[in-house]
Amino acid sequence: MRSPAKESALPPQVLALKAVLDRRGIELVYFATGAEACQYLVEQIPLGAQIMNGSSETIKSIGFDAVLNSGRYDFLRPAIVAMNNTPERLKLRQLSTTADYIVGGVNAISLTGEILCVDGGGNRVASYAYGGGKVFLVAGVNKITPNLQAAFERMRNRAGVEECRHLGRKTPCAETGVCSTYECHAPERQCGKVLIIENEKIDGRMTLVLIGETLGY
């Protein structure tokens, strides 16, 4: 069984963040490498479990995206991607937000205890906020910021910009590198819904899997 790093082995910044999140009902586990974090997720999620992912470069880079597509789990995304009928696809996306297990990335983490996630349509953040059974949020230490203001700055002017460029969106930020939220509109806009996770009421529901590497946007 892959065990998270003990508190005595945590970097000071991570130890401080863990203490803050513990008070907010969110567990933090730390691994030095993405490979260790990936193995931990495999061990935590039972074979055949119903699972949905939030699209994430971090999940891909640690190898868990490949695990999801290996047939190990009842992975809901392939059926959604294969569905062309818009009403039926929408229904499947809605149902996927209540999967037994949700694994996805985040855009910024504040040392004051807030976790920020931005989403185009909202299904990912809906599953994080309430729909999903057990939620694993996966992030590299590069997502850590000193406070909520800095977290918003990172979300809009780093994560949002890079995501739009990655997807080839013709948004103002993709061209300038700076968020222009009041000039950015559908259908190109990717920052449709913003979730601030400040607390989790259900014991054991949410875990932040933090990795000592630079991962994702």
Side-chain angles (χ1 to χ4, degrees), residues 5-6 15-16 27 31 56 61 70-71 75 83 123 145 194 199 203:
K6 296 180 179 179
L15 184 61
E27 182 183 13
F31 295 93
S56 165
S61 65
S70 69
F75 183 33
M83 180 66 66
N123 55 307
T145 64
V194 175
N199 190 74
D203 186 41

Side-chain angles (χ1 to χ4, degrees), residues 27-54:
E27 182 183 13
L28 184 155
V29 296
Y30 177 82
F31 295 93
T33 69
E36 292 175 297
C38 182
Q39 184 59 36
Y40 167 79
L41 290 170
V42 170
E43 293 171 353
Q44 292 296 307
I45 302 171
L47 184 68
Q50 182 192 65
I51 189 169
M52 183 61 180
N53 70 324

Side-chain angles (χ1 to χ4, degrees), residues 157-178:
N157 291 305
R158 176 59 191 272
V161 171
E162 294 303 321
E163 175 71 0
C164 285
R165 287 174 172 172
H166 175 72
L167 295 174
R169 302 298 187 193
K170 297 178 181 178
T171 57
C173 72
E175 296 181 1
T176 67
V178 178

